[in-house]
Amino acid sequence: MSGTFDVPLEKKSYRPDPSYRDQSWLGSYDEAYKRFLDDPEKFWADIAGELDWYRPWDAVREWELPYARWFTNAKLNITANCLDRHAASERRNKVALIWRGEDEEVERVLTYRQLHRKVMRFANALRDLGVRKGDTVCLYMPLVPEHIIALLACARIGAVHSIVYGGFGAAALNARIRDAGAKIVITADVGYRRGKRVALKTIVDEAVVNAPTVEKIVVLRRTSPSLELFSEMEVDFEEIMEAADPYCEPEVMDAEDPLFILYTSGTTGPPKGIVHTCAGYMVGTYYTTKYIFDMKDNDVHWCTADPGWITGHSYIVYGPLAAGATVLITEVVPDYPDPGIFWRIVEDFGVTIFYTAPTAIRMFMRFGEEWPQKCNLDSLRLIGSVGEPLNPEAFEWYYHTIGGARCPVLDTWWQTETGMHMITTTVGEKMKPGFAGRPIPGVVADVVDSEGASVAPGTGGLLVIKEPWPSMMRAVHNNDERYRKYWSTIDSYYTAGDLAVKDEDGYIMVLGRSDDIIIVAGHNLGTAEVESALVSHEAVAESAVIGKPDVMKGQAIKAFVILREGFKPSEKLKSELTYHVRMSIGPIAMPSEIDFVDSLPKTRSGKIMRRVLKAKELGIDPGDISTLEE
Ligand code: WT7
């Protein structure tokens, strides 16, 4: 079989207390998956039926490869589901949003009713600026409640939002504004990071040069004295809001009207504007929040992402609010004023669901367990991870030190393009460190060879999705060819670009991006595998490996290693690490070179950019690096 390779599989597993599964919304995985397979359309229609619609759908799904339509001809507004539905119910005075600023005293709380009213006013303010259904609005904001308010206000009036993470620079922002043709940019004077101000508005000033579609810049002014607004183009966030009418009926949207564009870095070429539409995205994020995160009315949900990533769109804003949850957001970073801050927040607010990234978990490990141990984390009920493979070492630490060997760990595999969780271990099912888990009910995923044939357990191959799902992306903005490629690399399957392997129980281990694969002497190795072996050594905090051309072996492995506190670089340690990899994976995976480094090039969402390391190593062009953190 072509495009496949063997992967040794770990056998360890943990089983959470049965009460988790018994009390969960989903119940037994096998039964739920069977319900889905028996009648996929009914499965999705039942979930959609829990939400509010102005007009029902004529068909649940229409599929003409590679174009899907879900809930055809239905009419809805996602904010009516995220806000009005709760504001008109007993959830009216329930806390929707808790915001925690950098200064430990600064805290803001908005109930569903308060959030609803603010969104309506700001929606009218946008209309007053001339924004209409179908216009694009760019958000470039710090993590404050106004970010969420502005985003929901766009959705309320049918404007397409394009959020650009506040850590991006002017060139990246300019490219995204231009590609999306944004009419309005919403920003703030500053964001706060580690006690310092980040001048966002200054970056916007630079980014709107040569962006002729931009008509107005809305500025949230947080500092005093207030930043002066100069040109005709600039308006104050609060002022336009106060001047606007308090009531704003939601725009009636068609199921397939676009809801937002979100740019994601392709491994090659410029960022892709991933387009999601109203109904399918709403149903997918609502479903996964309620049935996969098992969101209950008394949960306090903290997803540490920024709204500028898909994780924030789906699991800070749309999913949790559609499910009527209490959402915590914060501008604080994990290590300021000290590495205990995240755990104090968990204790202070009684966080029950905590969702973060492996890169953050490895950082917490590096800080040491004394920090979480200073706090009472008993409120936690579920802990989750997303963004990269959660290596077994990090799983163990997360499960024991943060989850108290009690909380199910949800290692959720998904993408900007998928909109919602696709693969994980659902609440209460047996967990296997290193494995994300099985496709969730509603998703048909598999590992295949390059011809599209399923491979046997233990054989690595390409991760594919075989059937369309409601929250799948509908387009790459202005680039149909790039959209079609997702469904044509392997005929009629969606290829995610990731390599994976299944075990006998159908659990899927994600090995990393296929373009990160290293081929040593004819053997394929996922970068994640080798990195995971390195990180399982007590001296290693984090690592990245790349393949370098090698006359003998085709490719040789070079490893970049960040050491944990208390360990010093030495030749002896290098041979120890090499031996450690040999013992964990085999001689084939032994790095031929190891460099000790202080940091690794990462995207702003925390993913290691191996191609940057590789380009530097080989002295070649790294391609588009606008998503690089530093
Ligand atoms: C890529 C998608 C989805 C929100 C954050 C990232 C990697 C994501 C996992 C996981 C192993 C993972 C994949 C995927 N990835 N989650 N649980 N285990 N890898 O969104 O920026 O669109 O990146 O992130 O490589 O393809 P994104």
Side-chain angles (χ1 to χ4, degrees), residues 34 81 90-91 144 180 218 273 351 364 495 499 526 536 547:
K34 185 171 178 304
N81 282 283
E90 68 280 11
R91 290 203 182 109
V144 290
V218 182
V351 172
F364 299 139
T495 25
L499 295 166
S536 70

Side-chain angles (χ1 to χ4, degrees), residues 264-265 309-311 355 385-390 411-418 423 436 496-498 510-513 605 607:
T264 180
S265 51
W309 308 119
I310 191 69
T311 311
Y355 191 37
S385 161
V386 60
E388 280 183 294
L390 181 63
D411 174 1
T412 58
W413 180 89
W414 58 294
Q415 307 178 300
T416 306
E417 293 89 333
T418 71
I423 299 171
D498 284 6
V510 179
L511 301 169
R513 310 285 307 168
S605 59
K607 283 197 220 309

Side-chain angles (χ1 to χ4, degrees), residues 424-441:
T424 192
T425 301
T426 57
V427 171
E429 300 291 339
K430 184 165 73 181
M431 302 177 289
K432 305 188 185 190
F435 289 83
R438 288 170 288 181
I440 63 170

